[in-house]
């Protein structure tokens, strides 16, 4: 996997995900909600992409389908040539286990496990993980290894969550509003951690945010509105995380 | 919620069904007996005598307090049933020639009454008729006064005197080998030279009469005619047995009802408390909308009361149905002409109140906790719960555990009270289940000791009158008889101060090997030359210990009275009585070397021939085979208890299921988010289920050993609180009882786990990403 990654990073333009005509219709009672209305899109190796849009624009649905948590109503998603939309539940579990790192808005740490153990939960089941200490060092938490979530601040908890997501050496890191529950100062520290992971490990990163300021640190900004891609913008220069304020 | 509500309702249903079944069966049987006695004028006082002239009846009737008198002729007989080799003994009872009996009325089930004066027409008791498939029109050969007579069966009848049809001196009914025949008075009196006379008398008392003084007067009147001492209803054999059985049934009922309702109440309290706890957020939202604490509390109380009502209704239905079935089973043994079975409203009320109060208390406790939190705080992202490393890890398990196992341990140790309560509930159900199967072990132990160690004979032969030892030689000469051991049995009333007990003393030889009394080490007791051995129960009833004197009033022959010393106490599980050495007993009787019967070891293959020879021996009054006795033991006592206990076990399993299922569902509600997060991280369904069900599995396994302990204690308590005059239940719990209880607990837990596993498979991973706790 890491060899592949290095190869991809040097070429820079290989698509990790290819999304074609992706449509998702939810049935809320008797009302049909069109979350996605036929989206075409690619994510490239090593790239950091920001998915920007208001609530209900479809960005989380898109991320969920890419992450193997949800299935589309129509359209297809290929991960490195494998059709995720045709995969079985078991295959999707294996896909998440080995290839995807998730970071949630509300951290979702296991309260009964320490920082180190929260990371180990993932490294124990992955095939080629880094050590839990290594992962926590990457997010600057070497001093907090044996703290339980209840003993950590919100920002620290989110950094543990990032360490947990990257420890398996995933091919892709999917972050859904990772700073949504944090204040600006703490949020920047978390974003720095994500930036460092993307830069040092070359992990393809998709970052959902409704904060336009944050999107400045991405290579590319995909603006969603009402289930469509409204606009795709390439940042000529990525802003570094510590320059961002909101 | 539907599944959980159903599981809680199931626990309530199981608890209230046990209570309603147990109490109503007891009520039905005792109410039925009461009505039957009233309807058929069951006598208050009974007496047997050698022979008295009919004119004595008028003098008895004149005794103050006597309302009515019925004289009868009663005799023992041998019955020859076609195609049945075993010896059958019977009791011939006279009925008035052309009138209803004044006391102990006959209830005709089939056929008609014998015609007056006919010496070849009889009624037979229903239990006996059913056991042999006898019908009106069938013929029987009856040995009356040494001569076989063919009689025709004209009807099948019941009597309050023989509701529990059991041969005198026996402790178990045997419908095949003992029957009651009714014949009209005149021909029966003629056969036994009782014309214008009687040998049995029944008295009905006027309201408020004192039975003791009437019996005293009656004894005086009957004394010159060989009266054997009057006895009250309490000593009438069928009534006495029924009393014992009813008493035991009532105690079992209250014991089990107490245990079941108690366990149910406890579980409800715990389960509903936890269920309401999972609703904290909804409670906060309701509070934010402006609902008051009382309104919120009332909302949950209403919800819980609906579940309770549903459970009690189902429990009432189930309990009524099981109780009906159980009563019908009893009706096979207690011969009543009808059954007054109904579900008493107060039992339903008690079940509702107990379960309802427990549930409401659990609900209110949890609601009070939930409403204490200000709504804003409850709706803000909850801080992660505080955890610590568990003590197991601190003592050195740390390195060896994977994270999921670590989560299980920490979860259990974080809330020790909650974990303990869950385990305690499972342990209780496990204990109750053991109580259900414990009786099988106890019955087997009783049989093994009584019929394997103490009473090892194949046949017991008894003679009409005390006989000389020569009879032993005659028996030994029969083909197929290996060994003969004589015994003497004497009816006696033992007295110590105010306490007295009617029983018989069994005299046997000190070197007996077939039939002997055992001590509490199960070794044969050394038989003293003089002095009497008493069974533990009898010693208890009389309040004596080894070395104390007892007055023995012999109830036959010259009826001597003696002071004898209690020489030892016998460990005996079935039956009650006294033992002496054969010589010692004979010396006391001043009758030389007499025997009243013998125990035989025989070749089983030649048994039918032996029976035939014995039937042809006029002296032989009865023959009892040990395997028939065993069969009767299992058929009567064991069947009731085992059926009842079977119901109890099934209901316990329902309780285990209810508690484990609910615990799992609540755990799922409490930890669904955590588990869904792990699924998102790539944990398989199986791995996630392990975290959820592993905790319950561990608690279930941890609960089993204390459950065993509890089961043992409950069984010991049951044995101590259920004394039966004629049976003592040994406290033995075999390995299979433990194994079965554990297996059922684990199976019930596994089934509920599998059902919850289905829900784990459908955890909503997407919702988890967006929602906070």
């Amino acid at each position: 996997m890491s060899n592949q990654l290095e190869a991809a990073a040097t070429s820079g333009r290989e698509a990790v995900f290819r999304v074609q005509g992706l449509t998702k219709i939810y049935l809320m009672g008797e009302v049909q909600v069109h979350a996605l209305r036929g989206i075409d899109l690619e994510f490239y190796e090593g790239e950091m992409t920001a998915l920007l849009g208001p609530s209900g624009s479809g960005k989380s649905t898109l991320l969920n389908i890419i992450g193997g948590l949800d299935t589309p109503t129509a359209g297809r998603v290929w991960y490195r040539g494998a059709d995720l939309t045709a995969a079985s539940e078991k295959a999707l579990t294996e896909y998440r286990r080995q290839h995807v790192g998730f970071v949630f808005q509300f951290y979702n740490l296991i309260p009964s496990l320490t920082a180190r153990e929260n990371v180990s939960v993932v490294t124990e089941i992955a095939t080629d993980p880094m050590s839990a200490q290594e992962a926590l060092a990457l997010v600057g938490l070497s001093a907090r290894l044996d703290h339980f979530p209840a003993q950590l601040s919100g920002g620290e908890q989110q950094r543990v969550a990032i360490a947990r997501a990257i420890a398996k050496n995933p091919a892709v890191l999917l972050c859904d509003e990772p700073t949504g529950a944090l204040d600006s100062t703490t949020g920047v520290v978390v974003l720095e951690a994500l930036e460092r992971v993307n830069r040092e490990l070359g992990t393809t990163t998709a970052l959902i945010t409704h904060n336009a300021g944050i999107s400045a640190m991405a290579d590319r900004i995909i603006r969603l509105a009402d289930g469509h891609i409204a606009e795709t913008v390439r940042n000529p220069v990525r802003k570094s995380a510590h320059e961002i304020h909101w | 919620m539907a599944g959980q509500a159903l599981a809680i309702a199931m626990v309530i249903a199981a608890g209230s069904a046990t209570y309603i079944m147990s109490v109503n069966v007891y009520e039905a049987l005792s109410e039925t007996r009461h009505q039957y006695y009233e309807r058929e004028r069951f006598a208050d006082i009974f007496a047997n005598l050698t022979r008295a002239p009919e004119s004595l009846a008028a003098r008895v009737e004149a005794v103050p307090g006597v309302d009515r008198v019925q004289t009868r002729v009663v005799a023992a007989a041998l019955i020859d049933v076609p195609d049945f080799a075993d010896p059958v003994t019977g009791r011939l009872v006279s009925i008035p020639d052309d009138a209803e009996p004044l006391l102990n009325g006959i209830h005709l089930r089939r056929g008609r009454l014998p015609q007056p004066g006919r010496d070849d027409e009889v009624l037979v008791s229903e239990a006996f008729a059913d056991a042999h498939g006898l019908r009106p029109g069938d013929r029987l050969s009856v040995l009356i006064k040494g001569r076989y007579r063919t009689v025709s069966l004209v009807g099948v009848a019941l009597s309050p005197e023989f509701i529990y049809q059991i041969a005198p001196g026996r402790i178990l009914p045997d419908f095949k080998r003992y029957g009651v025949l009714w014949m009209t008075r005149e021909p029966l009196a003629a056969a036994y030279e009782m014309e214008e006379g009687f040998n049995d008398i029944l008295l009905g008392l006027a309201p408020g009469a004192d039975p003791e003084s009437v019996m005293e007067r009656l004894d005086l009147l009957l004394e010159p005619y060989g009266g054997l001492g009057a006895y009250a209803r309490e000593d009438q054999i069928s009534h006495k047995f029924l009393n014992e059985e009813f008493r035991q049934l009532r105690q079992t009922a209250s014991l089990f009802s107490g245990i079941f309702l108690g366990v149910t109440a406890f579980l409800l309290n715990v389960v509903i408390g936890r269920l309401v706890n999972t609703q904290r957020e909804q409670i906060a939202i309701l509070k934010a909308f402006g609902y008051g604490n009382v309104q919120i509390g009332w909302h949950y109380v209403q919800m819980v009361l609906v579940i309770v009502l549903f459970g009690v209704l189902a429990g009432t239905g189930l309990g009524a149905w099981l109780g009906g079935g159980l009563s019908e089973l009893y009706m096979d043994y207690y011969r009543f002409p009808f059954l007054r079975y109904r579900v008493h409203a107060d039992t339903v009320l008690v079940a509702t109140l107990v379960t309802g109060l427990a549930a409401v208390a659990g609900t209110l406790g949890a609601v009070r906790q939930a409403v204490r939190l200000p709504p804003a705080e409850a709706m803000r992202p909850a801080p992660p719960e505080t955890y610590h490393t568990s003590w197991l890890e601190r003592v050195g398990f740390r390195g060896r555990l994977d994270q999921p196992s670590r989560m299980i341990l920490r979860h259990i140790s974080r809330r020790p009270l909650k974990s303990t309560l869950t385990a305690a509930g499972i342990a209780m159900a496990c204990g109750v289940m053991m109580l259900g199967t414990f009786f099988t072990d106890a019955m087997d132990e009783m049989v093994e000791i009584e019929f394997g160690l103490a009473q090892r004979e194949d046949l017991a032969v008894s003679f009409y009158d005390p006989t000389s030892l020569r009879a032993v030689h005659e028996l030994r000469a029969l083909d197929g008889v290996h060994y003969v051991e004589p015994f003497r049995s004497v009816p006696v009333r033992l007295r110590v101060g105010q306490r007295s007990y009617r029983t018989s003393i069994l005299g046997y030889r000190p070197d007996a090997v077939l039939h002997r009394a055992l001590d509490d080490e199960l070794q044969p007791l050394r038989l003293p030359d003089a002095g009497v051995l008493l069974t533990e129960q009898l010693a208890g009833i009389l309040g004596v210990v080894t070395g104390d004197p007892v007055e023995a009033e012999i109830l036959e022959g010259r009826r001597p009275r003696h002071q004898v010393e209690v020489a030892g106490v016998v460990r005996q599980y079935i039956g009650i009585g006294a033992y002496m050495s054969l010589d010692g007993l004979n010396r006391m009787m001043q009758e030389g070397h007499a025997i009243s019967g013998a125990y035989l070891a025989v070749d089983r293959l030649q048994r039918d021939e032996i029976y035939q020879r014995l039937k042809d021996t006029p002296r032989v009054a009865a023959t009892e085979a040990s395997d028939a006795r065993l069969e009767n033991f299992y058929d009567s006592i064991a069947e009731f208890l085992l059926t009842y206990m079977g119901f109890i076990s099934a209901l316990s399993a329902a309780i285990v299921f209810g508690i484990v299922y609910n615990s799992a569902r609540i755990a799922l509600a409490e930890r669904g988010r955590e588990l869904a997060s792990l699924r998102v991280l790539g944990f398989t369904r199986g791995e996630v289920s392990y975290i959820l069900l592993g905790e319950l599995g561990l608690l279930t396994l941890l609960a089993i050993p204390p459950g065993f302990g509890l089961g043992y204690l409950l069984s010991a308590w049951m044995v101590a609180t259920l004394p039966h005059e004629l049976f003592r239940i040994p406290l033995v719990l075999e390995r299979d009882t433990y194994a079965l209880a554990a297996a059922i607990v684990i199976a019930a837990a596994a089934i509920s786990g599998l059902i919850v596993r289905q829900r784990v498979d459908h955890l909503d991973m997407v919702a988890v990403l967006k929602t906070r706790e």
Side-chain angles (χ1 to χ4, degrees):
Chain A
M1 178 68 76
S2 54
N3 289 341
Q4 272 180 326
L5 272 175
E6 279 162 31
T10 45
S11 73
R13 297 303 300 171
E14 194 173 317
V16 180
F17 290 102
R18 225 147 46 75
V19 175
Q20 212 173 60
L22 201 64
T23 302
K24 179 72 182 181
I25 303 169
Y26 291 107
L27 216 57
M28 308 277 274
E30 292 181 8
V31 184
Q32 284 196 343
V33 179
H34 288 259
L36 295 175
R37 300 170 189 264
I39 286 193
D40 300 311
L41 178 71
E42 288 180 332
F43 288 104
Y44 300 104
E45 197 79 68
E47 184 189 41
M48 181 182 279
T49 311
L51 295 168
L52 197 62
S55 293
S57 58
K59 50 192 198 305
S60 288
T61 307
L62 175 62
L63 200 76
N64 290 342
I65 295 172
I66 290 174
L69 297 173
D70 205 351
T71 48
T73 313
R76 312 182 90 177
V77 178
W78 285 273
Y79 165 73
R80 294 199 203 282
D83 187 354
L84 289 184
T85 44
S88 68
E89 148 68 33
K90 208 176 151 192
L92 285 179
T93 301
E94 184 62 21
Y95 160 68
R96 293 196 301 271
R97 190 173 183 133
Q98 303 299 348
H99 304 288
V100 188
F102 281 100
V103 177
F104 312 107
Q105 181 179 1
F106 297 109
Y107 335 134
N108 289 21
L109 296 181
I110 309 297
S112 57
L113 300 178
T114 62
R116 187 208 309 264
E117 289 160 354
N118 259 290
V119 179
S120 301
V121 150
V122 167
T123 58
E124 274 173 8
I125 59 167
T127 38
D128 183 27
M130 62 180 90
S131 76
Q133 284 97 317
E134 227 179 304
L136 285 163
L138 263 172
V139 296
L141 284 176
S142 293
R144 312 287 268 171
L145 292 181
D146 293 321
H147 287 63
F148 283 93
Q151 299 165 313
L152 298 170
S153 72
E156 287 171 327
Q157 288 185 55
Q158 190 60 300
R159 277 144 71 199
V160 174
I162 294 170
R164 178 175 68 180
I166 58 160
K168 68 172 83 161
N169 279 319
V172 58
L173 190 59
L174 302 177
C175 313
D176 194 348
E177 300 274 13
T179 57
L182 300 172
D183 61 69
S184 160
T185 326
T186 323
V188 168
V189 181
V190 168
L191 292 178
E192 280 173 341
L194 287 175
E195 186 179 52
R196 187 172 171 197
V197 167
N198 176 252
R199 198 177 55 234
E200 292 183 12
L201 303 179
T203 313
T204 308
T205 305
L207 179 71
I208 284 186
T209 181
H210 60 263
N211 184 330
I214 292 175
S215 62
M217 65 182 279
D219 294 305
R220 196 156 54 115
I221 303 166
I222 296 168
R223 201 181 291 274
L224 284 145
D226 199 21
H228 296 288
I229 295 180
E231 183 188 15
T232 306
V233 183
R234 181 155 287 281
N235 278 334
V237 182
R238 268 168 63 164
K239 246 188 192 176
S240 127
H242 69 263
E243 298 171 80
I244 294 170
H245 298 283
W246 65 87
Chain B
M1 271 293 283
Q4 267 166 293
L6 201 68
I8 293 174
M10 204 163 125
V11 172
I12 296 173
S16 42
T18 312
Y19 170 69
I20 285 165
M21 165 183 87
S22 306
V23 174
N24 286 305
V25 167
Y26 165 72
E27 291 286 341
L29 290 174
S30 57
E31 214 170 289
T32 301
R33 183 177 73 167
H34 177 73
Q35 288 193 16
Y36 185 35
Y37 280 178
E38 296 260 294
R39 193 184 288 187
E40 298 294 352
R41 306 168 304 281
F42 186 49
D44 296 303
I45 288 171
F46 307 75
N48 320 107
L49 53 148
T50 313
R51 184 188 186 283
E54 190 60 33
S55 55
L56 190 68
R59 291 173 60 196
V60 173
E61 210 162 345
V63 170
V66 174
D67 178 48
R68 53 178 85 183
V69 172
Q70 174 71 59
T71 61
R72 307 191 297 187
V73 174
V74 171
L78 283 185
I79 306 170
D80 200 23
V81 182
D83 303 321
F84 189 69
D86 295 23
V88 178
T89 56
R91 193 168 178 78
L92 284 162
V93 180
S94 73
I95 47 176
D97 288 310
D98 44 16
E100 271 269 288
L102 290 173
L103 293 164
N104 293 8
I106 305 287
H107 179 95
L108 201 60
R109 293 285 264 192
R110 293 189 283 280
R112 59 168 175 84
L113 290 170
Q115 285 182 345
R118 291 287 294 260
D119 65 353
D120 60 349
E121 290 188 351
V122 295
L123 294 176
V124 303
S125 56
E126 189 189 48
F128 183 66
D130 286 354
H132 288 288
L134 296 174
R135 264 170 251 249
D138 287 350
R139 284 168 180 282
L140 292 171
S141 179
V142 183
L143 186 71
I144 297 174
K145 225 19 190 176
R147 197 163 66 82
Y148 272 104
R149 225 185 270 194
T150 302
V151 294
S152 122
L153 196 167
V154 296
V156 174
L158 295 173
S159 156
E161 206 178 341
F162 303 107
I163 294 171
Y164 198 70
Q165 181 190 294
I166 187 166
R170 296 284 158 79
I171 55 166
L172 293 168
D174 186 340
F175 300 154
K176 276 202 165 108
R177 295 173 190 81
Y178 176 73
V180 180
L181 306 180
W182 288 274
M183 211 178 208
T184 51
R185 172 85 173 257
E186 197 195 311
L188 190 60
Y192 285 91
E193 290 143 20
M194 290 277 171
E195 291 102 335
E196 297 302 313
F198 64 93
N199 67 354
D200 186 271
I201 186 167
L202 307 173
L203 271 57
L205 294 182
D210 171 29
E212 288 301 322
S213 72
V214 172
M215 285 197 291
E216 250 170 61
R217 299 283 296 271
L218 182 64
D219 279 346
L220 283 175
L221 287 171
L222 297 180
E223 176 95 58
Y225 304 102
L228 287 177
Y231 53 92
R233 211 185 248 190
E234 267 50 53
D235 281 323
Q236 199 269 341
I237 184 163
S238 159
H239 183 85
K240 189 182 174 123
F241 267 87
L242 288 179
N243 269 357
E244 276 296 309
E245 298 268 321
F246 287 6
R247 197 167 58 85
Q248 199 174 37
L249 189 61
R250 195 183 63 223
Q251 285 183 342
T252 317
S254 48
L255 202 63
F256 272 110
S257 306
I259 293 172
F260 260 77
L261 285 185
V263 171
T264 307
F266 170 78
L267 295 183
L268 276 179
N269 199 302
V270 173
V271 166
I272 290 185
R274 287 183 66 185
L275 186 64
V276 173
N277 257 333
T278 63
Q279 303 261 312
R280 267 181 45 171
E281 198 175 336
Q282 282 89 321
I283 291 176
I285 291 169
L286 287 176
K287 278 191 76 175
F289 284 158
Y291 282 90
N293 293 352
V294 174
Q295 277 171 298
I296 293 171
W298 177 232
H299 164 77
Y300 282 97
V301 166
Q302 275 176 312
M303 176 187 86
V304 163
L305 284 182
V306 168
I307 299 175
V308 168
L309 211 65
F310 185 71
V312 170
L313 275 180
T316 305
L318 184 66
W321 182 64
L322 291 177
L326 203 59
S327 303
E328 290 295 330
L329 190 69
Y330 276 103
M331 292 291 283
D332 284 346
Y333 282 84
Y334 305 154
R335 293 292 170 155
F336 293 108
F338 54 86
L339 176 66
R340 287 277 166 274
Y341 178 75
R342 61 193 180 89
V343 174
H344 291 255
D346 53 349
T347 57
V348 179
L349 191 69
V350 168
T352 313
L353 281 179
V354 171
T355 53
L357 282 177
V360 168
T363 310
L364 290 181
V367 170
R368 195 176 314 127
Q369 271 197 339
V371 297
R372 207 182 290 150
L373 212 58
E377 196 175 317
M379 290 198 288
R380 215 175 292 141
E385 294 181 321
T386 314
Y387 279 87
H388 302 283
T389 45
S390 68
W391 64 269
L392 260 178
E393 296 171 88
R394 283 197 294 270
V395 299
F397 276 91
R398 192 182 184 91
R400 282 169 241 172
L401 289 173
D402 59 2
Q403 306 312 323
S405 307
R406 195 162 279 164
M407 288 167 71
I408 291 174
L409 284 186
R410 289 190 189 157
H411 220 265
I412 289 176
S413 64
R414 181 171 186 274
R415 293 197 185 157
L417 184 67
K418 194 177 74 179
S419 306
T420 309
L421 287 180
T422 303
I426 298 171
M428 277 189 195
C430 175
V432 173
M433 195 129 42
M434 279 176 66
L435 194 50
T437 41
F438 147 69
F439 278 91
T440 322
D441 293 342
M443 296 293 142
D444 291 345
E445 174 85 357
M446 286 164 84
V447 164
E448 181 151 338
I449 289 173
E450 291 308 318
F451 303 142
L453 293 175
Q455 309 171 25
R456 305 191 293 177
E457 67 275 8
D458 296 317
L459 294 177
V461 174
S462 45
F463 304 124
Y464 276 110
D465 301 303
T467 311
S468 82
L469 267 174
R470 219 182 33 234
V472 171
H473 301 294
E474 289 170 17
L475 287 172
R476 201 174 285 148
L478 292 177
D479 270 353
V481 172
H482 297 317
Y483 193 77
V484 180
E485 207 170 84
F487 69 84
R488 173 85 206 255
S489 176
V490 174
V492 68
R493 189 191 294 277
L494 297 175
R495 267 187 233 279
V496 177
Q498 291 300 304
R499 304 180 186 203
S500 79
Y501 193 84
R502 263 174 80 115
T503 179
S504 56
I505 299 179
L506 185 82
Y508 62 94
R509 282 181 173 164
D511 60 354
V513 292
L514 292 181
H515 195 108
R516 63 264 167 99
L518 303 178
D519 64 13
D520 49 12
E521 309 267 272
L522 302 179
Q523 293 303 313
L525 269 164
R526 206 184 57 81
L527 207 51
D529 190 44
V532 64
L533 303 174
L534 301 181
T535 58
E536 272 171 309
Q537 287 106 304
L538 186 49
I541 290 169
L542 296 174
V544 291
V545 293
T546 306
D548 288 351
V550 171
E551 187 194 72
E553 179 193 351
I554 307 294
L555 298 176
E556 69 168 44
R558 282 174 239 171
R559 309 188 60 180
R561 291 183 181 211
H562 290 275
Q563 286 287 329
V564 285
E565 192 190 291
V566 177
V569 173
V570 181
R571 158 74 46 101
Q572 188 169 320
Y573 292 121
I574 303 174
I576 185 167
Y579 300 90
M580 282 183 84
S581 79
L582 185 56
D583 291 344
L585 183 59
N586 274 325
R587 267 202 308 280
M588 201 163 80
M589 296 294 296
Q590 302 153 17
E591 282 179 358
H593 293 287
I595 61 167
S596 40
Y599 298 113
L600 272 58
V602 302
D603 180 351
R604 277 162 197 253
L605 293 175
Q606 297 188 51
R607 211 166 65 180
D608 284 2
E609 290 84 349
I610 296 171
Y611 281 154
Q612 197 50 52
R613 294 290 299 277
L614 290 172
K615 281 184 192 176
D616 295 340
T617 311
R619 249 205 305 268
V620 172
T623 308
E624 191 188 15
S626 59
D627 43 6
R629 200 170 50 188
L630 198 64
E631 186 187 311
N632 292 329
F633 176 74
Y634 278 113
D635 277 358
S636 48
I637 312 295
E639 188 178 350
F640 299 137
L641 271 176
L642 298 184
T643 306
Y644 186 72
M645 295 305 157
F647 290 165
I648 297 280
S649 296
L651 295 170
S652 311
I655 286 188
V656 173
F657 174 82
I659 180 176
V660 177
Y661 178 74
N662 262 304
S663 301
R665 282 296 306 274
I666 289 163
L668 182 63
E670 288 168 350
R671 305 176 63 188
R673 179 184 175 76
E674 192 175 308
L675 300 178
S677 305
L678 289 171
R679 286 282 287 132
V680 171
L681 295 177
F683 274 64
T684 62
R685 291 168 174 174
E687 286 164 342
V688 165
S689 302
Y690 165 70
I691 295 171
L692 180 72
L693 301 177
E695 179 179 335
L696 278 165
L698 186 62
L699 287 179
T700 303
L701 292 180
L702 287 177
I704 288 174
F708 285 167
L710 193 69
Y712 186 86
L713 289 179
L714 282 176
S715 304
W717 184 45
M718 186 99 179
V719 164
T721 48
L722 275 190
H724 189 291
E725 203 173 282
L726 296 167
F727 299 97
R728 256 202 50 199
I729 299 167
L731 183 61
V732 265
L733 289 124
E734 297 288 344
R735 248 179 310 175
D736 56 358
T737 291
Y738 290 101
L740 186 68
I744 293 177
V745 166
I746 290 170
I751 291 170
S752 52
L754 282 177
I755 296 175
V756 174
R757 165 83 206 262
Q758 299 288 313
R759 297 192 161 258
V760 173
D761 289 352
H762 296 107
L763 278 173
D764 189 351
M765 292 180 276
V766 173
V768 144
L769 295 171
K770 272 294 165 194
T771 58
R772 52 158 196 78
E773 258 175 282

